[in-house]
């Protein structure tokens, strides 16, 4: 879909948003991104997204955006220029151009791109398929929202090939980690559970909101916990929280969101 994007200080048509041929984001995945749900110009959980981006940028040695108010203004203008009321905005920050090889230039000239698209309606439920791909808790790509997404892409391809909507990944020790693009939660005896970040989990913004809103038990859990759960659901910025109906074709829980979770997204 054609539209308007923001790239490195300019408003341009999306057909012209190509990166420099030397951009390390495109060549090496040297960069970060955030996906924000924007309603009537205001980004949902904006502060959480900016905090995560700043934290990841600092750890990976990237100059992150420092003007939160300015970024909020750009996002508001972006969706207005695209005449969108309920949108998904993709913020992409790369290390910018550099010489051939792994070494970054002495002075980075980072590249920032913002694009917007209409938000699709969340599904009523999703089907998961267990992936053969495993997440390493030591991997930066597991802990940060980097541009290096090949594991997630392959996991999703495998899941779709099995007739599922999303892949479920374990970590390298066999513990539940999460969906290919979502965090996973479950309910047992009325208590809410989710894997700890030490299980190769990306600290999602919706995940953080749930953890701040109610008691949640975090830890390392085997796959068997999902089989006996009263409810299983996945979360991300695009759809909030969605119940899981099946895993590899087997029914999980009730297929409904717990009332206390549904209330957060009412």
């Amino acid at each position: 879909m054609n539209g308007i994007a923001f790239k490195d200080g300019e408003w341009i048509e999306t057909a012209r948003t190509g990166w420099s041929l030397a951009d390390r984001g495109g060549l090496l995945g040297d960069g970060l991104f955030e996906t924000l749900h924007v309603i009537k110009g205001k980004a949902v959980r904006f502060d959480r997204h900016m905090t995560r981006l700043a934290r990841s940028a600092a750890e990976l040695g990237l100059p992150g955006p420092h003007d939160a108010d300015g970024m909020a203004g750009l996002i508001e203008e972006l969706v207005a220029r695209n005449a969108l009321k309920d949108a998904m905005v993709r913020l992409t920050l790369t290390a910018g151009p550099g010489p051939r090889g792994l070494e970054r230039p002495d002075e980075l000239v980072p590249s920032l791109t913002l694009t917007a698209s209409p938000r699709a309606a969340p599904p009523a439920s999703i089907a998961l398929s267990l992936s053969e791909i495993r997440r390493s808790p030591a991997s930066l790509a597991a802990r940060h929202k980097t541009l290096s997404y090949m594991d997630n892409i392959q996991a999703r391809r495998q899941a779709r090939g099995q007739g599922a909507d999303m892949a479920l990944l374990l970590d390298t020790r066999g513990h539940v980690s999460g969906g290919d693009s979502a965090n996973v939660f479950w309910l047992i005896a009325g208590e809410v559970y989710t894997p700890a970040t030490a299980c190769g989990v990306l600290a999602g913004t919706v995940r953080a909101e749930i953890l701040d809103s109610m008691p949640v038990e975090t830890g390392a859990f085997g796959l068997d916990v999902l089989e006996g759960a009263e409810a299983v659901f996945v979360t991300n910025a695009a759809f909030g929280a969605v119940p899981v109906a099946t895993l590899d074709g087997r029914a999980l829980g009730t297929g409904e969101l717990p009332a206390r979770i549904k209330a957060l997204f009412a």
Side-chain angles (χ1 to χ4, degrees):
M1 184 185 74
N2 290 330
I4 302 298
F6 177 86
K7 186 177 190 303
D8 301 332
E10 293 185 84
W11 294 102
I12 59 177
E13 295 179 4
T14 53
R16 296 178 47 232
T17 58
W19 284 333
S20 158
L21 293 179
D23 193 289
R24 293 175 59 86
L27 294 176
L28 299 169
D30 191 359
L32 297 162
F33 75 99
E34 290 286 334
T35 306
L36 302 91
H37 179 198
V38 181
I39 303 174
K40 296 181 179 179
K42 305 301 181 185
V44 180
R45 292 175 289 275
F46 176 76
D47 290 343
R48 294 188 188 276
H49 282 284
M50 291 301 102
T51 297
R52 180 173 65 183
L53 179 62
R55 183 173 59 245
S56 292
E59 184 167 339
L60 301 182
L62 291 170
H66 300 297
D67 182 3
D69 290 340
M71 184 62 66
L74 285 174
I75 290 172
E76 185 172 3
E77 184 172 354
L78 174 70
V79 296
R81 283 175 178 261
N82 286 279
L84 295 171
K85 293 183 179 180
D86 192 4
M88 296 306 300
V89 168
R90 157 90 179 220
L91 182 162
T92 305
L93 174 69
T94 82
R100 181 186 177 282
L102 298 183
E103 297 288 339
R104 285 175 174 169
D106 292 336
E107 292 190 19
L108 290 181
V109 182
S111 175
L112 174 70
T113 304
L114 297 173
T115 55
S117 60
R119 176 179 180 252
S125 65
I126 68 164
L128 292 177
S129 175
L130 183 63
S131 175
E132 64 187 28
I133 295 171
R134 298 289 182 263
R135 285 188 175 137
S136 168
S139 170
L140 292 173
R143 302 199 311 270
H144 301 283
K145 208 168 176 68
T146 75
L147 300 180
S148 305
Y149 244 51
M150 187 52 68
D151 281 353
N152 307 66
I153 293 169
Q154 289 297 99
R156 175 63 65 88
R157 287 183 65 243
Q158 293 171 1
R160 296 298 290 170
Q162 296 295 320
D165 304 302
M166 181 184 291
L168 176 71
L169 289 85
L170 308 180
D171 69 13
T172 50
R173 300 164 296 183
H175 301 133
V176 176
S177 181
D180 56 43
S181 61
N183 293 119
V184 62
F185 289 79
W186 59 93
L187 202 71
I188 296 177
E191 301 297 324
V192 181
Y193 294 81
T194 196
T197 53
C199 297
V201 172
L202 175 71
T205 56
V206 178
R207 177 184 185 275
E209 182 170 334
I210 293 174
L211 265 63
D212 286 346
S213 301
M214 64 188 68
V216 178
E217 184 72 26
T218 64
F221 305 96
L223 189 61
D224 59 305
V225 298
L226 300 183
E227 301 288 348
E230 298 153 24
V232 181
F233 58 98
V234 291
T235 65
N236 69 20
F239 53 59
V242 171
V244 175
T246 62
L247 172 62
D248 289 335
R250 302 185 305 277
L252 290 183
T254 62
E256 300 288 337
L257 281 180
R260 75 188 85 167
I261 300 300
K262 188 182 297 184
L264 288 177
F265 303 98

